[in-house]
Amino acid sequence: MLGFLWSLGAFIVALGILVAVHEWGHFYIARRCGVQVERFSIGFGKPLWRKTSKTGTEYVIAMIPLGGYVRMLDGRIDDVPPELEHKAFNHKPVLQRMAIIFAGPGVNFIFAVFALWLMFLIGLQTVKPVIGNIEPESIAAQAGIEKGDEVIKVGSRNTPDWEAVNLEVVSYIGQESALVTVLTQDKTEKEVTFTLEGWNFDPDSESPLSSLGITPFRPNPTLEVGFVGEGSAAQEAGLQPGDKLLALNGDELTTWQALVDVIVESPGDSVVLSIERDGQPQQLRATIARRDTPEGQTGYLGVSPTFEAWPEGYVFTHQYGIVEAVGRALDKTWRLMTLSVEMIGKLVTGDVSVKNLSGPISIAQGAGTSAGYGLAYFLSFLALISVNLGIINLLPLPMLDGGHLMFYIVEWLTGKPVPDAVQEWGYRIGGVLLFMIMGIAIMNDIARIA
């Protein structure tokens, strides 16, 4: 429950920030163009807080934090007296209307640059993309990748960490091959080719890397308990962080994996754990919990280990000065934008499965996880979602900013507004498509947690 509330709180904060940024873009340019703004709302439904400014704009925070809007004076909706027609949105030149509509997504991109700039100033700790293991006969194995190699480039782009490797690898879905440059353990560069014809992955059961046969390096687990889950079988048995596991049912434990192998095969069984706590041996009795998986029922203890220290040089921090951080932020924002557009294109062509769509539940989980890691990680998450929000809003679907822009571009090119009947049908079709996409994303979320 605590984890759920944390994720929910982080989601509300993240969404509130991003919606406020997006709607402020519309609001600011509308005011600059002389449009009278009637209401600036964060959220929908019943207002929880409201205040009217001297200019007549009502500022609102509403009950349902799943979006927001800027309501402008508009002769298509309001009865506008002649003396206020010059302040109505629909009476402004088409280029000004286009600027007002584009400003929302545009500010989302600017905010992403700012969030990443701040992240690079604070510093983001990460690890080098060194390979820990390669699955035999996998795509990576056939390419000639070996354990201990460090991935330094995918295509022409540098990959200083695993996040960069993931982003670049995913961009090759639907292509026949990818050129990957690695640094071998003897410090020589080697170029290999991943054969990707027919390659895809199921996000519910694997990651892009695991689907290629790659397991990132991480230090070996020790037999010391690092974390005990709230309400887990381990907690009920009395296990505590810092306990050293010695034996299971009288059999000496030499590795953490030996413990895992027994636990997963023993759902519902009662076991005896021999531990050392504060230098004193103890015995605890635990009843292994049951967990349903696609492969059947497995045992679950609810405990994780501490790990050996990282080798020297594997862990580093992305941290830059004020000026250099600007360039880094611009480059990463641009890459996130281009990759988002590429993924939308691949969804349309079928190269990427609709199973990859994520909805509010996955976003909330991502918000909670990133916030738990610290401010720099949360800023990185905000930048990613802000870019995606901007790109999605620019899709040429009526009901989205991109749909409005599409109508105004036609008006600008032809000199005549798109007929109301055409716009009305466009909004209906766009609404159906939008709700279908949202429905698929939410169903994917439910399937992932079911």
Side-chain angles (χ1 to χ4, degrees), residues 14-77:
L15 193 63
I17 292 172
L18 297 179
V19 168
V21 164
H22 180 91
E23 299 304 333
W24 180 84
H26 293 310
F27 170 80
Y28 178 75
I29 299 300
R31 292 286 298 272
R32 295 288 294 179
C33 291
V35 176
Q36 181 172 313
V37 179
E38 304 284 288
R39 174 179 282 189
F40 183 116
S41 179
I42 304 300
F44 299 104
K46 182 179 179 181
L48 301 176
W49 175 87
R50 65 173 74 194
K51 182 179 181 180
T52 303
S53 69
K54 295 178 181 179
T55 61
T57 301
E58 183 184 34
Y59 297 90
V60 173
I61 297 177
M63 182 176 291
I64 305 172
L66 295 178
Y69 61 93
V70 171
R71 187 179 183 280
M72 294 171 271
L73 186 66
D74 194 322
R76 298 168 299 178
I77 302 171

Side-chain angles (χ1 to χ4, degrees), residues 281-298:
Q282 295 187 28
Q283 285 194 335
L284 303 174
R285 184 172 294 276
T287 300
I288 307 304
R290 303 174 186 268
R291 181 163 60 181
D292 292 323
T293 70
E295 291 75 32
Q297 199 172 72
T298 64

Side-chain angles (χ1 to χ4, degrees), residues 41-203:
S41 179
I42 304 300
F44 299 104
K46 182 179 179 181
L48 301 176
W49 175 87
R50 65 173 74 194
K51 182 179 181 180
T52 303
S53 69
K54 295 178 181 179
T55 61
T57 301
E58 183 184 34
Y59 297 90
V60 173
I61 297 177
M63 182 176 291
I64 305 172
L66 295 178
Y69 61 93
V70 171
R71 187 179 183 280
M72 294 171 271
L73 186 66
D74 194 322
R76 298 168 299 178
I77 302 171
D78 308 300
D79 293 325
V80 181
E83 66 272 15
L84 291 180
E85 284 186 351
H86 68 287
K87 292 187 175 183
F89 175 80
N90 64 307
H91 283 277
K92 294 297 178 181
V94 65
L95 289 178
Q96 289 191 8
R97 280 178 276 148
M98 289 169 63
I100 292 168
I101 296 300
F102 180 78
V107 171
N108 276 127
F109 302 141
I110 294 171
F111 175 79
V113 174
F114 170 75
L116 291 172
W117 173 77
L118 194 56
M119 180 200 78
F120 283 128
L121 284 182
I122 295 170
L124 185 73
Q125 191 175 72
T126 187
V127 297
K128 290 182 177 180
V130 177
I131 293 172
N133 197 26
I134 295 291
E135 279 294 317
E137 306 303 320
S138 63
I139 292 173
Q142 292 174 9
I145 295 280
E146 297 178 4
K147 179 179 179 180
D149 288 349
E150 178 186 347
V151 182
I152 58 175
K153 278 187 181 181
V154 175
S156 61
R157 297 189 67 89
N158 294 328
T159 52
D161 53 32
W162 281 118
E163 181 193 21
V165 174
N166 264 302
L167 286 176
E168 298 309 321
V169 161
V170 167
S171 71
Y172 280 87
I173 291 178
Q175 298 190 31
E176 293 184 356
S177 63
L179 186 66
V180 177
T181 306
V182 298
L183 189 66
T184 64
Q185 293 189 68
D186 60 6
K187 302 305 178 184
T188 60
E189 290 191 14
K190 179 175 71 174
E191 288 188 348
V192 298
T193 300
F194 282 17
T195 302
L196 301 177
E197 188 174 357
W199 170 64
N200 213 315
F201 67 96
D202 183 353

